[in-house]
Amino acid sequence: MSENDAHLLIVDDDERIRGLLQKFLIRNGFLVSAARDAAHARRLLSGLDFDMIVLDVMMPGEDGVSLTKGIRETSQTPVLLLTARSETEDRIKGLEAGADDYLAKPFEPKELLLRINAILRRMPETTAESSVPKLLTLGDIRYDIERGEMWQGEDMVRLTATESQLMRIFSARPGEPLSRAKLVEELGRDKGQAQERAVDVQITRLRRKMEADPKQPRYLQTVRGAGYMLAPD
């Protein structure tokens, strides 16, 4: 397993920590999706394959240990647990549930990176024949997450650089509304209403390439008061 092409899932109920980890790991070459709780993580896991899951133990609702047990019922995807320093019992329960490693909070991001890379290096290499492409299905459109390519049947849909960036952002968070301000930030643009209006224009152009009826979008939806959301099949 090469670390450079790994798709990670971050599960943490703390929005600030989730965002910081996502930015840090993306800067270090990973494709990163994020979930705010176990239920959100289960929805993402039902539609996407991940190379590794970084999972907080203490979350409202279903906790990380329970989610690890659920993951192990159907998958051998590596799990790295994030635990509070005093949660010795939870760390043991997590390892017994099938977690591959744990890291106590607070931690240095560089240590997290080292742990992730160490686990990924232990994973067996998959052959080209057995490798499953990471695809999102959007009606008759297919989006290859790893390659950043959009296809309609046998024809590649040509995306501009900004459209391609937007698809990478949305495909890392399927089913999660993203505000215009958040999209501007992820695109690396200066903040401001002008840039947010520019995002609206780019969304309109992207819809023309992927929606049967761009005026009534099925897959790149507008979520009132929240922004835009990619809703794959």
Side-chain angles (χ1 to χ4, degrees):
M1 167 67 64
S2 168
E3 299 96 285
N4 293 332
D5 59 5
H7 188 182
L8 309 182
L9 174 61
I10 305 294
V11 188
D12 198 306
D13 62 295
D14 188 314
E15 183 178 1
R16 186 184 68 85
I17 292 175
R18 202 167 61 237
L20 288 172
L21 289 180
Q22 192 165 29
K23 286 181 180 178
F24 173 75
L25 292 169
I26 287 172
R27 284 201 306 270
N28 281 277
F30 295 100
L31 178 64
V32 184
S33 297
R36 59 187 169 272
D37 54 27
H40 188 194
R42 287 182 182 276
R43 289 196 296 274
L44 295 182
L45 288 165
S46 70
L48 288 170
D49 291 323
F50 294 94
D51 298 300
M52 187 172 172
I53 302 164
V54 179
L55 174 58
D56 188 30
V57 169
M58 295 298 291
M59 295 187 293
E62 183 180 9
D63 66 22
V65 174
S66 173
L67 179 57
T68 299
K69 289 180 181 178
I71 290 168
R72 282 293 169 263
E73 291 175 1
T74 59
S75 170
Q76 293 303 311
T77 301
V79 175
L80 172 63
L81 292 178
L82 303 179
T83 73
R85 196 170 293 280
S86 61
E87 295 168 356
T88 304
E89 185 178 348
D90 282 332
R91 292 201 289 270
I92 294 171
K93 287 180 179 178
L95 294 172
E96 290 176 343
D100 295 82
D101 198 357
Y102 65 83
L103 183 58
K105 294 180 176 179
F107 55 84
E108 289 293 330
K110 188 174 181 180
E111 184 179 2
L112 174 64
L113 184 63
L114 291 171
R115 295 287 187 99
I116 289 172
N117 286 337
I119 292 173
L120 291 175
R121 281 195 294 270
R122 295 201 297 264
M123 295 302 292
E125 292 284 348
T126 55
T127 63
E129 291 75 18
S130 65
S131 178
V132 179
K134 296 179 175 65
L135 297 175
L136 289 180
T137 303
L138 310 159
D140 61 351
I141 295 288
R142 304 186 318 280
Y143 181 71
D144 186 320
I145 295 175
E146 288 189 331
R147 295 178 178 274
E149 295 174 352
M150 184 178 288
W151 294 82
Q152 185 169 27
E154 298 299 315
D155 300 322
M156 182 185 289
V157 179
R158 301 290 180 184
L159 299 177
T160 66
T162 300
E163 290 166 353
S164 184
Q165 277 185 281
L166 283 171
M167 281 304 300
R168 286 187 181 278
I169 294 166
F170 281 120
S171 63
R173 305 172 181 81
E176 179 180 337
L178 298 173
S179 68
R180 291 189 299 172
K182 180 67 174 175
L183 292 171
V184 168
E185 178 186 346
E186 293 275 341
L187 288 169
R189 309 290 171 80
D190 294 330
K191 296 180 180 179
Q193 289 188 345
Q195 289 293 351
E196 291 185 14
R197 286 195 296 270
V199 165
D200 291 337
V201 173
Q202 296 293 341
I203 294 291
T204 298
R205 291 175 177 171
L206 192 51
R207 281 172 170 165
R208 289 174 186 157
K209 296 182 178 182
M210 60 189 290
E211 298 281 0
D213 183 355
K215 293 184 178 179
Q216 294 184 317
R218 160 69 180 84
Y219 299 105
L220 189 46
Q221 301 175 1
T222 299
V223 181
R224 186 180 296 275
Y228 297 108
M229 179 179 75
L230 188 68
D233 291 327

